[in-house]
């Protein structure tokens, strides 16, 4: 595995691999890697001849300076995981390398980016579109891999791909969970032992809402999930929305394949999760 810090070297190596007829898979990450990231890398490894993983805590997608400051940074451990996972390039650039000038691009991301995370974290998705589009321009991958924990992010990235005319496949990969159901997240390391014990109630509640939904309306189900999670110490739901899986718009009536998306503050750690309803 090569650890690369400049765009110039990145492009040289990727172009060499392409000249050898290899397809290129890109896994964009912000580091603090866990088994969820490794599952994306394994999928990329299976489907491509060459795998690039970027590790970059992208400042333009953080609307909260404290969140940016406290975001875990574990470069040494990340490199060990990437090397063990058989990655070809770990691309670990500085902020100056990615943004030699401030990125002033504003993407017309439309309705998919206006609700939920878009409403709660102004500018967040524009920042995601900035970094992901830059990475796509640099690597020109055949496929790029994203985890379904950030369900809305995938819809926003698909919209950005359409706007910019990138020719690549976006591959969405299932959420990885701890044995007790907690969705893997780089932020989990910030939970206190007590919060860590409580946090699996998020997924447990979402699962129990699948049965509840069979006999109740969408609004009643939203109330059920919100009240149940809020009843645990230190947990507070920021939003629970049940949305169309393509448009991300809240639905009023049940239909097959709608997705419940939740954000919960567990102490000051912001956790997200989601679940699909099948009827
Ligand atoms: O999901 C993430 O970790 C980030 O939003 C991404 C896609 C790597 C862009 O910085």
């Amino acid at each position: 595995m090569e650890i690369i810090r400049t765009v110039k070297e990145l492009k040289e190596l990727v172009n060499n691999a392409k000249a050898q007829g290899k397809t290129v898979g890109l896994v964009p990450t912000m580091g603090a890697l866990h088994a969820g990231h490794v599952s994306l890398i394994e999928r990329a490894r299976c489907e491509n001849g060459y795998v690039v993983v970027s590790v970059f805590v992208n400042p333009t997608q953080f609307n909260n300076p404290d969140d940016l400051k406290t975001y875990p940074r574990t470069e040494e451990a990340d490199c060990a995981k990437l090397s063990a996972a058989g990655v070809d390039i770990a691309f670990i650039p500085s902020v100056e390398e990615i943004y030699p000038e401030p990125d002033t691009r504003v993407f017309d991301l439309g309705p998919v980016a206006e609700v939920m995370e878009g409403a709660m974290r102004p500018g967040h998705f524009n920042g995601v579109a900035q970094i992901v589009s830059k990475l796509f321009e640099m690597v020109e991958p055949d496929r790029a891999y994203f985890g379904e924990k950030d369900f809305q992010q995938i819809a926003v990235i698909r919209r950005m791909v359409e706007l910019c005319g990138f020719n690549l496949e976006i591959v969405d990969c299932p959420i990885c969970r701890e044995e007790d159901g907690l969705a893997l997240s780089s932020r989990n390391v910030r939970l206190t032992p007590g919060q860590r014990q409580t946090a699996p109630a998020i997924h447990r509640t979402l699962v129990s809402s699948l049965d509840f939904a069979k006999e109740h309306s969408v609004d009643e189900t939203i109330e059920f999930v919100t009240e149940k999670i809020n009843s645990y110490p230190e947990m507070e739901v920021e939003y629970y929305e049940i949305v169309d899986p393509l448009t991300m718009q809240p639905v009023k009536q049940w239909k097959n394949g709608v997705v419940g998306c939740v954000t919960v503050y567990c102490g000051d750690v912001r956790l997200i999760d989601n679940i699909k309803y099948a009827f």
Side-chain angles (χ1 to χ4, degrees):
M1 181 181 85
E2 303 254 18
I3 299 176
I4 297 297
R5 300 195 188 268
T6 67
V7 177
K8 186 166 172 283
E9 289 168 287
L10 171 71
K11 284 187 172 167
E12 273 167 19
L13 287 175
V14 170
N15 286 340
N16 270 344
K18 287 181 183 166
Q20 292 167 29
K22 293 180 178 169
T23 57
V24 177
L26 170 68
V27 184
T29 82
M30 297 206 297
L33 302 178
H34 50 65
H37 297 109
V38 174
S39 78
L40 303 183
I41 294 164
E42 279 167 359
R43 176 101 183 252
R45 192 67 286 172
C46 284
E47 295 178 351
N48 303 276
Y50 202 72
V51 174
V52 179
V53 178
S54 59
V55 175
F56 180 65
V57 181
N58 172 39
T60 72
Q61 72 186 74
F62 284 82
N63 57 314
N64 173 346
D66 267 355
D67 194 20
L68 174 60
K69 212 162 70 194
T70 58
Y71 200 85
R73 287 161 172 89
T74 57
E75 186 177 314
E76 220 171 291
D78 289 348
C79 285
K81 284 180 190 154
L82 293 176
S83 173
V87 164
D88 295 291
I89 296 184
F91 177 50
I92 314 184
S94 64
V95 173
E96 295 72 31
E97 183 68 15
I98 295 292
Y99 298 113
E101 325 255 288
D103 191 339
T104 53
R105 290 174 300 161
V106 176
F107 292 79
D108 176 16
L109 297 169
V112 288
E114 280 162 14
V115 293
M116 300 192 289
E117 294 299 278
M120 293 300 163
R121 304 180 68 190
H124 167 66
F125 282 136
N126 198 63
V128 170
Q130 287 175 337
I131 182 60
V132 175
S133 62
K134 273 183 183 271
L135 292 168
F136 287 179
E137 276 162 16
M138 291 167 190
V139 177
E140 296 186 66
D142 297 279
R143 300 181 188 85
Y145 296 80
F146 297 92
E148 280 181 346
K149 182 172 74 67
D150 297 294
F151 188 71
Q152 188 181 8
Q153 173 171 270
I154 300 181
V156 170
I157 289 170
R158 287 187 193 283
R159 165 79 181 155
M160 180 279 289
V161 164
E162 193 182 282
L163 279 175
C164 300
F166 287 116
N167 180 20
L168 83 173
E169 187 188 340
I170 300 295
V171 183
D172 39 352
C173 304
I175 301 177
C176 288
R177 298 186 180 280
E178 299 284 2
E179 253 169 47
D180 57 18
L182 178 63
L184 294 189
S185 162
S186 303
R187 292 188 168 90
N188 291 353
V189 296
R190 295 189 47 230
L191 297 169
T192 64
Q195 290 165 347
R196 174 63 191 80
Q197 259 198 330
T198 314
I202 299 170
H203 178 60
R204 264 202 320 274
T205 304
L206 293 180
V207 171
S208 67
S209 79
L210 296 178
D211 263 346
F212 185 91
K214 290 180 189 149
E215 313 269 317
H216 297 85
S217 70
V218 168
D219 281 348
E220 285 163 348
T221 306
I222 291 173
E223 199 177 310
F224 168 79
V225 166
T226 307
E227 283 181 3
K228 182 93 187 153
I229 295 177
N230 284 344
S231 74
Y232 289 90
E234 297 199 77
M235 295 232 275
E236 187 165 358
V237 171
E238 186 175 50
Y239 64 77
Y240 186 55
E241 299 271 22
I242 297 175
V243 302
D244 178 282
L246 293 178
T247 66
M248 298 295 125
Q249 301 311 297
V251 297
K252 286 278 150 228
Q253 306 287 333
W254 289 119
K255 63 176 177 170
N256 197 28
V258 293
V259 175
C261 298
V262 75
T263 297
V264 180
Y265 274 96
C266 193
D268 64 356
V269 184
R270 192 170 183 274
L271 300 175
I272 70 175
D273 203 345
N274 61 75
I275 198 156
K276 187 171 288 207
Y277 292 87
F279 293 93

